[in-house]
Amino acid sequence: MNTILIVEDEPKLASLLSDYLQASGYATHTIHNGLEALPAIHEHRPDLVLLDLMLPGKDGLDICRELRRESDLPVIMLTARVEEIDRLLGLELGADDYICKPFSPREVVARVKTILRRVQRAQVDATPAETRASSALVIRPDRFEALLDQQPLNLTPVEFRLLQTLAESPGRIFSRERLLDHLYDDHRVVTDRTVDSHIKNLRRKLNAIRPEAEVIQSIYGVGYKLDL
């Protein structure tokens, strides 16, 4: 569940936005003073901030400017000041979008969904230079290299993608269907038992380095997880 921080000094409007966002499946936190914005961001770690421009204590432009020094957290500016300079300034400071008051709460929800989808797609498409499931397992996609206890695993492309997927979320249980989505570039149609075969081969290579360990665990009736 994504979390939205609402920074808005009009309590009724803030409550209305919160109700609409919660009805759409988001968790929300609301504050009314600009001085509380950055501490609230650090405390709640939201996925997006709805930030009013005119706030008591500290205005939205100053908050956005300070936030951009430390984070790329998505920000939608809310403003009743429709002058073009304010719109441009808000975006130049790093706001992802702006909405002018008065607005429909449904429009705000739609903008939130659009920006979060864009952020999530960018995260999926980004290829990390290195993945570390722990200090013992290192995966370097740009070199097509996987090391366990500093020893190379010599994986096939499918085994490499499988291990990388598991390593990006250690301890998380992946269904066979979910793992299949990551195995083949050409999205060929295969059965979910194909995963079992690749897991068997991958385990054999992991066990050659750690004979006593069950690095990839089977969760009966559910799928597999990486345990290091």
Side-chain angles (χ1 to χ4, degrees):
M1 179 183 294
N2 291 119
T3 299
I4 313 300
L5 178 65
I6 302 168
V7 188
E8 168 59 62
D9 65 332
E10 298 180 46
K12 290 184 179 179
L13 178 55
S15 178
L16 182 64
L17 289 172
S18 180
D19 288 344
Y20 270 80
L21 287 163
Q22 289 180 20
S24 296
Y26 298 103
T28 63
H29 296 282
T30 302
I31 59 173
H32 306 294
N33 190 298
L35 293 174
E36 301 172 3
L38 290 175
I41 289 170
H42 296 151
E43 177 183 356
H44 299 296
R45 298 188 178 277
D47 298 288
L48 183 144
V49 179
L50 291 174
L51 180 60
D52 189 24
L53 182 64
M54 300 298 292
L55 292 164
K58 183 182 294 185
D59 70 27
L61 295 180
D62 287 338
I63 294 168
C64 192
R65 183 184 294 111
E66 292 180 30
L67 178 61
R68 281 295 170 259
R69 293 173 185 160
E70 62 181 61
S71 172
D72 292 326
L73 178 68
V75 174
I76 297 178
M77 303 290 292
L78 307 176
T79 178
R81 297 166 57 183
V82 296
E83 296 89 344
E84 189 66 20
I85 185 61
D86 285 327
R87 295 183 179 185
L88 294 175
L89 184 56
L91 295 174
E92 287 173 1
L93 284 172
D96 296 84
D97 199 355
Y98 63 87
I99 302 176
C100 293
K101 299 178 181 179
F103 49 70
S104 162
R106 290 187 177 88
E107 178 188 2
V108 176
V109 173
R111 299 281 191 99
V112 167
K113 289 180 178 179
T114 297
I115 290 177
L116 288 178
R117 279 198 301 266
R118 188 181 72 201
V119 170
Q120 289 162 359
R121 282 198 302 268
Q123 291 172 344
V124 170
D125 293 341
T127 301
E130 185 174 285
T131 298
R132 285 182 176 266
S134 71
S135 59
L137 178 62
V138 179
I139 299 174
R140 301 184 178 118
D142 54 339
R143 302 183 189 179
F144 198 74
E145 184 178 65
L147 305 173
L148 179 62
D149 296 336
Q150 301 183 346
Q151 298 184 53
L153 286 166
N154 299 319
L155 305 177
T156 67
V158 172
E159 291 165 359
F160 187 93
R161 294 189 195 102
L162 183 56
L163 182 60
Q164 183 181 6
T165 300
L166 292 168
E168 286 173 352
S169 300
R172 175 184 171 184
I173 301 172
F174 288 84
S175 67
R176 292 181 177 87
E177 181 180 2
R178 179 67 174 166
L179 291 172
L180 275 175
D181 290 340
H182 296 269
L183 293 190
Y184 298 102
D185 288 334
D186 58 3
H187 304 290
R188 70 188 71 174
V189 177
V190 294
T191 68
D192 59 3
R193 292 299 173 183
T194 303
V195 173
D196 296 344
S197 177
H198 291 304
I199 288 285
K200 180 180 178 180
N201 293 333
L202 182 55
R203 278 176 169 161
R204 177 171 48 80
K205 295 179 179 181
L206 294 167
N207 289 342
I209 297 173
R210 289 194 176 186
E212 304 300 323
E214 187 179 5
V215 178
I216 298 178
Q217 294 186 2
S218 300
I219 309 301
Y220 182 76
V222 182
Y224 298 98
K225 69 175 183 177
L226 188 73
D227 187 17
L228 280 173

